[in-house]
mmCIF file of all heavy atoms in Angstrom:
data_model
loop_
_atom_site.group_PDB
_atom_site.id
_atom_site.type_symbol
_atom_site.label_atom_id
_atom_site.label_comp_id
_atom_site.label_asym_id
_atom_site.label_seq_id
_atom_site.Cartn_x
_atom_site.Cartn_y
_atom_site.Cartn_z
ATOM 1 N N GLY A 233 -5.945 -58.001 -2.316
ATOM 2 C CA GLY A 233 -6.668 -59.167 -2.791
ATOM 3 C C GLY A 233 -7.681 -59.672 -1.783
ATOM 4 O O GLY A 233 -8.808 -60.050 -2.148
ATOM 5 N N VAL A 234 -7.311 -59.670 -0.492
ATOM 6 C CA VAL A 234 -8.248 -60.096 0.544
ATOM 7 C C VAL A 234 -9.412 -59.111 0.651
ATOM 8 O O VAL A 234 -10.567 -59.513 0.846
ATOM 9 C CB VAL A 234 -7.530 -60.230 1.897
ATOM 10 C CG1 VAL A 234 -8.527 -60.552 3.011
ATOM 11 C CG2 VAL A 234 -6.473 -61.320 1.831
ATOM 12 N N ILE A 235 -9.115 -57.821 0.515
ATOM 13 C CA ILE A 235 -10.174 -56.810 0.543
ATOM 14 C C ILE A 235 -11.208 -57.100 -0.541
ATOM 15 O O ILE A 235 -12.426 -57.117 -0.280
ATOM 16 C CB ILE A 235 -9.569 -55.401 0.368
ATOM 17 C CG1 ILE A 235 -8.821 -54.986 1.631
ATOM 18 C CG2 ILE A 235 -10.661 -54.369 0.039
ATOM 19 C CD1 ILE A 235 -8.040 -53.683 1.485
ATOM 20 N N MET A 236 -10.732 -57.355 -1.758
ATOM 21 C CA MET A 236 -11.653 -57.611 -2.864
ATOM 22 C C MET A 236 -12.355 -58.960 -2.713
ATOM 23 O O MET A 236 -13.550 -59.093 -2.995
ATOM 24 C CB MET A 236 -10.889 -57.548 -4.182
ATOM 25 C CG MET A 236 -10.220 -56.218 -4.471
ATOM 26 S SD MET A 236 -11.355 -54.816 -4.401
ATOM 27 C CE MET A 236 -12.506 -55.271 -5.702
ATOM 28 N N THR A 237 -11.633 -59.976 -2.257
ATOM 29 C CA THR A 237 -12.227 -61.300 -2.101
ATOM 30 C C THR A 237 -13.265 -61.309 -0.983
ATOM 31 O O THR A 237 -14.241 -62.074 -1.044
ATOM 32 C CB THR A 237 -11.136 -62.351 -1.828
ATOM 33 O OG1 THR A 237 -10.166 -62.285 -2.882
ATOM 34 C CG2 THR A 237 -11.715 -63.750 -1.782
ATOM 35 N N THR A 238 -13.087 -60.471 0.021
ATOM 36 C CA THR A 238 -14.119 -60.326 1.055
ATOM 37 C C THR A 238 -15.429 -59.877 0.429
ATOM 38 O O THR A 238 -16.512 -60.330 0.819
ATOM 39 C CB THR A 238 -13.658 -59.316 2.118
ATOM 40 O OG1 THR A 238 -12.454 -59.785 2.732
ATOM 41 C CG2 THR A 238 -14.718 -59.132 3.193
ATOM 42 N N GLY A 239 -15.340 -59.009 -0.581
ATOM 43 C CA GLY A 239 -16.536 -58.601 -1.303
ATOM 44 C C GLY A 239 -17.183 -59.772 -2.030
ATOM 45 O O GLY A 239 -18.418 -59.875 -2.090
ATOM 46 N N THR A 240 -16.365 -60.670 -2.582
ATOM 47 C CA THR A 240 -16.902 -61.857 -3.243
ATOM 48 C C THR A 240 -17.695 -62.709 -2.264
ATOM 49 O O THR A 240 -18.801 -63.184 -2.564
ATOM 50 C CB THR A 240 -15.763 -62.697 -3.851
ATOM 51 O OG1 THR A 240 -15.092 -61.918 -4.841
ATOM 52 C CG2 THR A 240 -16.303 -63.958 -4.493
ATOM 53 N N VAL A 241 -17.125 -62.914 -1.073
ATOM 54 C CA VAL A 241 -17.823 -63.703 -0.052
ATOM 55 C C VAL A 241 -19.129 -63.028 0.350
ATOM 56 O O VAL A 241 -20.176 -63.689 0.488
ATOM 57 C CB VAL A 241 -16.912 -63.904 1.175
ATOM 58 C CG1 VAL A 241 -17.657 -64.612 2.300
ATOM 59 C CG2 VAL A 241 -15.664 -64.694 0.791
ATOM 60 N N MET A 242 -19.091 -61.711 0.526
ATOM 61 C CA MET A 242 -20.306 -60.974 0.877
ATOM 62 C C MET A 242 -21.358 -61.102 -0.220
ATOM 63 O O MET A 242 -22.553 -61.292 0.052
ATOM 64 C CB MET A 242 -19.961 -59.497 1.114
ATOM 65 C CG MET A 242 -19.073 -59.253 2.319
ATOM 66 S SD MET A 242 -18.411 -57.545 2.382
ATOM 67 C CE MET A 242 -19.920 -56.602 2.626
ATOM 68 N N GLY A 243 -20.912 -61.002 -1.482
ATOM 69 C CA GLY A 243 -21.846 -61.133 -2.588
ATOM 70 C C GLY A 243 -22.446 -62.521 -2.676
ATOM 71 O O GLY A 243 -23.655 -62.681 -2.894
ATOM 72 N N LEU A 244 -21.608 -63.561 -2.506
ATOM 73 C CA LEU A 244 -22.109 -64.941 -2.567
ATOM 74 C C LEU A 244 -23.100 -65.220 -1.441
ATOM 75 O O LEU A 244 -24.038 -66.012 -1.620
ATOM 76 C CB LEU A 244 -20.938 -65.918 -2.485
ATOM 77 C CG LEU A 244 -20.054 -66.005 -3.734
ATOM 78 C CD1 LEU A 244 -18.818 -66.864 -3.451
ATOM 79 C CD2 LEU A 244 -20.834 -66.566 -4.909
ATOM 80 N N ALA A 245 -22.905 -64.589 -0.296
ATOM 81 C CA ALA A 245 -23.842 -64.772 0.813
ATOM 82 C C ALA A 245 -25.181 -64.100 0.542
ATOM 83 O O ALA A 245 -26.219 -64.521 1.083
ATOM 84 C CB ALA A 245 -23.230 -64.214 2.104
ATOM 85 N N ALA A 246 -25.177 -63.075 -0.319
ATOM 86 C CA ALA A 246 -26.399 -62.308 -0.550
ATOM 87 C C ALA A 246 -27.218 -62.802 -1.740
ATOM 88 O O ALA A 246 -28.457 -62.774 -1.704
ATOM 89 C CB ALA A 246 -26.051 -60.829 -0.743
ATOM 90 N N VAL A 247 -26.549 -63.239 -2.829
ATOM 91 C CA VAL A 247 -27.277 -63.518 -4.069
ATOM 92 C C VAL A 247 -28.363 -64.586 -3.950
ATOM 93 O O VAL A 247 -29.379 -64.506 -4.663
ATOM 94 C CB VAL A 247 -26.303 -63.861 -5.221
ATOM 95 C CG1 VAL A 247 -25.517 -62.632 -5.633
ATOM 96 C CG2 VAL A 247 -25.375 -65.010 -4.848
ATOM 97 N N PRO A 248 -28.228 -65.628 -3.082
ATOM 98 C CA PRO A 248 -29.331 -66.607 -3.006
ATOM 99 C C PRO A 248 -30.647 -66.019 -2.508
ATOM 100 O O PRO A 248 -31.715 -66.610 -2.736
ATOM 101 C CB PRO A 248 -28.793 -67.664 -2.019
ATOM 102 C CG PRO A 248 -27.312 -67.518 -2.058
ATOM 103 C CD PRO A 248 -27.080 -66.058 -2.260
ATOM 104 N N PHE A 249 -30.582 -64.892 -1.840
ATOM 105 C CA PHE A 249 -31.778 -64.288 -1.268
ATOM 106 C C PHE A 249 -32.297 -63.107 -2.087
ATOM 107 O O PHE A 249 -33.220 -62.410 -1.653
ATOM 108 C CB PHE A 249 -31.485 -63.826 0.162
ATOM 109 C CG PHE A 249 -30.923 -64.905 1.038
ATOM 110 C CD1 PHE A 249 -29.552 -64.990 1.269
ATOM 111 C CD2 PHE A 249 -31.753 -65.858 1.609
ATOM 112 C CE1 PHE A 249 -29.026 -65.994 2.076
ATOM 113 C CE2 PHE A 249 -31.241 -66.866 2.414
ATOM 114 C CZ PHE A 249 -29.872 -66.940 2.646
ATOM 115 N N LEU A 250 -31.700 -62.885 -3.255
ATOM 116 C CA LEU A 250 -32.047 -61.738 -4.075
ATOM 117 C C LEU A 250 -32.585 -62.192 -5.429
ATOM 118 O O LEU A 250 -32.244 -63.286 -5.893
ATOM 119 C CB LEU A 250 -30.823 -60.839 -4.283
ATOM 120 C CG LEU A 250 -30.244 -60.196 -3.014
ATOM 121 C CD1 LEU A 250 -28.905 -59.547 -3.310
ATOM 122 C CD2 LEU A 250 -31.220 -59.174 -2.439
ATOM 123 N N PRO A 251 -33.413 -61.366 -6.075
ATOM 124 C CA PRO A 251 -33.923 -61.731 -7.400
ATOM 125 C C PRO A 251 -32.832 -61.651 -8.457
ATOM 126 O O PRO A 251 -31.777 -61.026 -8.248
ATOM 127 C CB PRO A 251 -35.005 -60.680 -7.642
ATOM 128 C CG PRO A 251 -34.588 -59.503 -6.824
ATOM 129 C CD PRO A 251 -33.942 -60.074 -5.602
ATOM 130 N N TRP A 252 -33.080 -62.298 -9.577
ATOM 131 C CA TRP A 252 -32.158 -62.248 -10.706
ATOM 132 C C TRP A 252 -32.243 -60.878 -11.356
ATOM 133 O O TRP A 252 -33.333 -60.350 -11.565
ATOM 134 C CB TRP A 252 -32.514 -63.336 -11.716
ATOM 135 C CG TRP A 252 -31.410 -63.668 -12.672
ATOM 136 C CD1 TRP A 252 -31.350 -63.324 -13.985
ATOM 137 C CD2 TRP A 252 -30.225 -64.415 -12.402
ATOM 138 N NE1 TRP A 252 -30.198 -63.801 -14.559
ATOM 139 C CE2 TRP A 252 -29.479 -64.481 -13.602
ATOM 140 C CE3 TRP A 252 -29.710 -65.040 -11.258
ATOM 141 C CZ2 TRP A 252 -28.261 -65.138 -13.691
ATOM 142 C CZ3 TRP A 252 -28.497 -65.685 -11.340
ATOM 143 C CH2 TRP A 252 -27.788 -65.728 -12.555
ATOM 144 N N ILE A 253 -31.102 -60.278 -11.663
ATOM 145 C CA ILE A 253 -31.134 -58.959 -12.284
ATOM 146 C C ILE A 253 -31.581 -59.063 -13.738
ATOM 147 O O ILE A 253 -31.475 -60.117 -14.366
ATOM 148 C CB ILE A 253 -29.757 -58.267 -12.197
ATOM 149 C CG1 ILE A 253 -28.689 -59.055 -12.951
ATOM 150 C CG2 ILE A 253 -29.352 -58.068 -10.750
ATOM 151 C CD1 ILE A 253 -27.337 -58.370 -12.979
ATOM 152 N N GLU A 254 -32.108 -57.971 -14.274
ATOM 153 C CA GLU A 254 -32.573 -57.956 -15.655
ATOM 154 C C GLU A 254 -31.417 -58.200 -16.620
ATOM 155 O O GLU A 254 -30.262 -57.838 -16.345
ATOM 156 C CB GLU A 254 -33.220 -56.603 -15.969
ATOM 157 C CG GLU A 254 -34.457 -56.279 -15.129
ATOM 158 C CD GLU A 254 -35.632 -57.177 -15.456
ATOM 159 O OE1 GLU A 254 -35.649 -57.740 -16.571
ATOM 160 O OE2 GLU A 254 -36.526 -57.321 -14.597
ATOM 161 N N ALA A 255 -31.735 -58.812 -17.749
ATOM 162 C CA ALA A 255 -30.707 -59.180 -18.730
ATOM 163 C C ALA A 255 -29.924 -57.966 -19.212
ATOM 164 O O ALA A 255 -28.723 -58.055 -19.485
ATOM 165 C CB ALA A 255 -31.347 -59.898 -19.907
ATOM 166 N N ALA A 256 -30.602 -56.818 -19.313
ATOM 167 C CA ALA A 256 -29.944 -55.614 -19.820
ATOM 168 C C ALA A 256 -28.805 -55.145 -18.917
ATOM 169 O O ALA A 256 -27.901 -54.437 -19.374
ATOM 170 C CB ALA A 256 -30.962 -54.493 -19.975
ATOM 171 N N ALA A 257 -28.830 -55.546 -17.646
ATOM 172 C CA ALA A 257 -27.813 -55.070 -16.710
ATOM 173 C C ALA A 257 -26.489 -55.818 -16.838
ATOM 174 O O ALA A 257 -25.445 -55.299 -16.435
ATOM 175 C CB ALA A 257 -28.332 -55.198 -15.277
ATOM 176 N N TRP A 258 -26.518 -57.016 -17.410
ATOM 177 C CA TRP A 258 -25.306 -57.839 -17.409
ATOM 178 C C TRP A 258 -24.189 -57.239 -18.253
ATOM 179 O O TRP A 258 -23.021 -57.357 -17.898
ATOM 180 C CB TRP A 258 -25.626 -59.256 -17.885
ATOM 181 C CG TRP A 258 -26.279 -60.068 -16.819
ATOM 182 C CD1 TRP A 258 -27.606 -60.362 -16.694
ATOM 183 C CD2 TRP A 258 -25.634 -60.676 -15.694
ATOM 184 N NE1 TRP A 258 -27.835 -61.113 -15.569
ATOM 185 C CE2 TRP A 258 -26.641 -61.325 -14.935
ATOM 186 C CE3 TRP A 258 -24.316 -60.731 -15.242
ATOM 187 C CZ2 TRP A 258 -26.360 -62.019 -13.763
ATOM 188 C CZ3 TRP A 258 -24.029 -61.420 -14.064
ATOM 189 C CH2 TRP A 258 -25.037 -62.056 -13.345
ATOM 190 N N LYS A 259 -24.549 -56.597 -19.356
ATOM 191 C CA LYS A 259 -23.488 -56.013 -20.196
ATOM 192 C C LYS A 259 -22.774 -54.891 -19.463
ATOM 193 O O LYS A 259 -21.553 -54.707 -19.600
ATOM 194 C CB LYS A 259 -24.057 -55.521 -21.525
ATOM 195 C CG LYS A 259 -25.091 -54.423 -21.456
ATOM 196 C CD LYS A 259 -25.523 -54.016 -22.861
ATOM 197 C CE LYS A 259 -26.572 -52.913 -22.849
ATOM 198 N NZ LYS A 259 -27.882 -53.431 -22.377
ATOM 199 N N TYR A 260 -23.504 -54.146 -18.644
ATOM 200 C CA TYR A 260 -22.866 -53.088 -17.866
ATOM 201 C C TYR A 260 -22.017 -53.680 -16.748
ATOM 202 O O TYR A 260 -20.935 -53.150 -16.433
ATOM 203 C CB TYR A 260 -23.926 -52.158 -17.274
ATOM 204 C CG TYR A 260 -24.732 -51.431 -18.322
ATOM 205 C CD1 TYR A 260 -26.100 -51.669 -18.468
ATOM 206 C CD2 TYR A 260 -24.134 -50.507 -19.176
ATOM 207 C CE1 TYR A 260 -26.851 -51.004 -19.421
ATOM 208 C CE2 TYR A 260 -24.871 -49.839 -20.141
ATOM 209 C CZ TYR A 260 -26.231 -50.095 -20.260
ATOM 210 O OH TYR A 260 -26.968 -49.441 -21.215
ATOM 211 N N LEU A 261 -22.479 -54.767 -16.145
ATOM 212 C CA LEU A 261 -21.716 -55.408 -15.089
ATOM 213 C C LEU A 261 -20.392 -55.948 -15.631
ATOM 214 O O LEU A 261 -19.332 -55.747 -15.023
ATOM 215 C CB LEU A 261 -22.544 -56.527 -14.459
ATOM 216 C CG LEU A 261 -22.003 -57.144 -13.165
ATOM 217 C CD1 LEU A 261 -23.161 -57.593 -12.273
ATOM 218 C CD2 LEU A 261 -21.097 -58.339 -13.451
ATOM 219 N N VAL A 262 -20.452 -56.625 -16.782
ATOM 220 C CA VAL A 262 -19.220 -57.143 -17.402
ATOM 221 C C VAL A 262 -18.292 -55.992 -17.777
ATOM 222 O O VAL A 262 -17.072 -56.054 -17.556
ATOM 223 C CB VAL A 262 -19.559 -58.008 -18.626
ATOM 224 C CG1 VAL A 262 -18.297 -58.389 -19.389
ATOM 225 C CG2 VAL A 262 -20.323 -59.265 -18.202
ATOM 226 N N ALA A 263 -18.869 -54.925 -18.348
ATOM 227 C CA ALA A 263 -18.061 -53.763 -18.710
ATOM 228 C C ALA A 263 -17.396 -53.166 -17.478
ATOM 229 O O ALA A 263 -16.212 -52.779 -17.515
ATOM 230 C CB ALA A 263 -18.926 -52.717 -19.406
ATOM 231 N N SER A 264 -18.122 -53.101 -16.364
ATOM 232 C CA SER A 264 -17.563 -52.545 -15.140
ATOM 233 C C SER A 264 -16.378 -53.372 -14.653
ATOM 234 O O SER A 264 -15.345 -52.815 -14.227
ATOM 235 C CB SER A 264 -18.639 -52.489 -14.044
ATOM 236 O OG SER A 264 -18.088 -52.045 -12.820
ATOM 237 N N VAL A 265 -16.494 -54.699 -14.705
ATOM 238 C CA VAL A 265 -15.398 -55.565 -14.264
ATOM 239 C C VAL A 265 -14.164 -55.346 -15.139
ATOM 240 O O VAL A 265 -13.044 -55.207 -14.635
ATOM 241 C CB VAL A 265 -15.824 -57.039 -14.295
ATOM 242 C CG1 VAL A 265 -14.629 -57.954 -14.030
ATOM 243 C CG2 VAL A 265 -16.925 -57.291 -13.269
#
Side-chain angles (χ1 to χ4, degrees):
V234 175
I235 288 173
M236 300 305 299
T237 305
T238 299
T240 298
V241 175
M242 294 169 66
L244 288 172
V247 291
F249 306 99
L250 297 170
W252 199 254
I253 62 176
E254 298 292 338
W258 282 102
K259 62 178 180 288
Y260 297 115
L261 191 148
V262 172
S264 176
V265 172

